[in-house]
Amino acid sequence: MKKNSTNPIIAIDGHSSTGKSSYAKMLAKELNWKHIDTGAMYRAVTLYGIQNFPEGKYIDNQALVSHLSDIHIDFIYNPETQNNDTLMNGENVESEIRGFKVSELVSLVAKIPEVRNFLVKQQREIGKKGGVVMDGRDIGTVVFPCADLKLFITASIDERAKRRFLDFQQQNKTISLEEIKENLKQRDYIDQNREVSPLTQSPDAILIDNSHLNKQETYQKILAITKEKFGNILP
Ligand code: DC
């Protein structure tokens, strides 16, 4: 993949519930670039599997793989939330893909090689013109290994579980802190140990551990790194 320094790519990878997507969104807004949340794409495929090919508590992976070409994912700007909502086959699924059921199964779907191939192709297509901040798990390692700036965000498991717990509480969803922590641990394990493009920090990525940083402090750090790298292109 060729590097395009006039229209750069910023790759933000890292663990679940570190706020990657929020920071990517804030940064893209500041730069007036496009933001792509690739986790949302894996979540949309998972939702499609739950809806169409349930197999007990899980998803019939084979059936899902043979119907991947039926899944069309798009993003649409929502002026109310100033967010890019996810569309699956024309339906706005932004809220559904963030639910606990999808969160429970998404890592299992994301480890299927055919699913990864299917989505990585689309991610490269969306990002190829540059001017994009893309967040996920394998952006700096696989999707755009020549990204102009790579960040890897992490935080302790307790801190991440606490943040996710507060998010769910705000949405009036009753899930215990223990359940959330267990889900995060499982996802970390599956994401880091899958055979195809496991979650790992690219050697040239800058590590940000935000266990002891609040949202604003983390974002200021990201902004400072971005300014150092691209000072001349910040509006
Ligand atoms: O960022 P998120 O929590 O919405 O991601 C959901 C899941 O998708 C996560 O468990 C890992 C997977 N994922 C991935 O494997 N590769 C990506 N580029 C993005 C997400």
Side-chain angles (χ1 to χ4, degrees), residues 41-100:
M41 301 172 82
Y42 287 92
R43 287 174 177 272
V45 171
T46 305
L47 179 65
Y48 189 83
I50 292 170
Q51 289 175 342
N52 295 280
F53 309 111
E55 193 174 61
K57 283 180 15 191
Y58 297 97
I59 292 170
D60 177 346
N61 288 349
Q62 258 187 328
L64 177 62
V65 164
S66 58
H67 287 83
L68 284 175
S69 59
D70 296 343
I71 308 174
H72 299 282
I73 300 166
D74 284 304
F75 294 101
I76 186 172
Y77 184 70
N78 179 338
E80 219 171 279
T81 57
Q82 300 189 358
N83 192 24
N84 279 334
D85 284 358
T86 310
L87 298 183
M88 184 183 71
N89 294 339
E91 188 191 339
N92 190 323
V93 291
E94 188 55 34
S95 163
E96 268 177 290
I97 62 169
R98 307 290 165 191
F100 197 66

Side-chain angles (χ1 to χ4, degrees), residues 16 20-21 37-40 42-43 98 106-107 110 116 123 135-139 164 187 191 194:
S16 304
K20 287 184 310 297
S21 285
D37 168 5
T38 61
Y42 287 92
R43 287 174 177 272
R98 307 290 165 191
V106 63
S107 288
R116 302 205 71 81
Q123 290 154 9
D135 76 271
R137 303 293 188 291
D138 60 343
I139 310 307
R164 181 61 44 121
R187 283 168 63 190
D191 291 347
R194 67 179 172 230

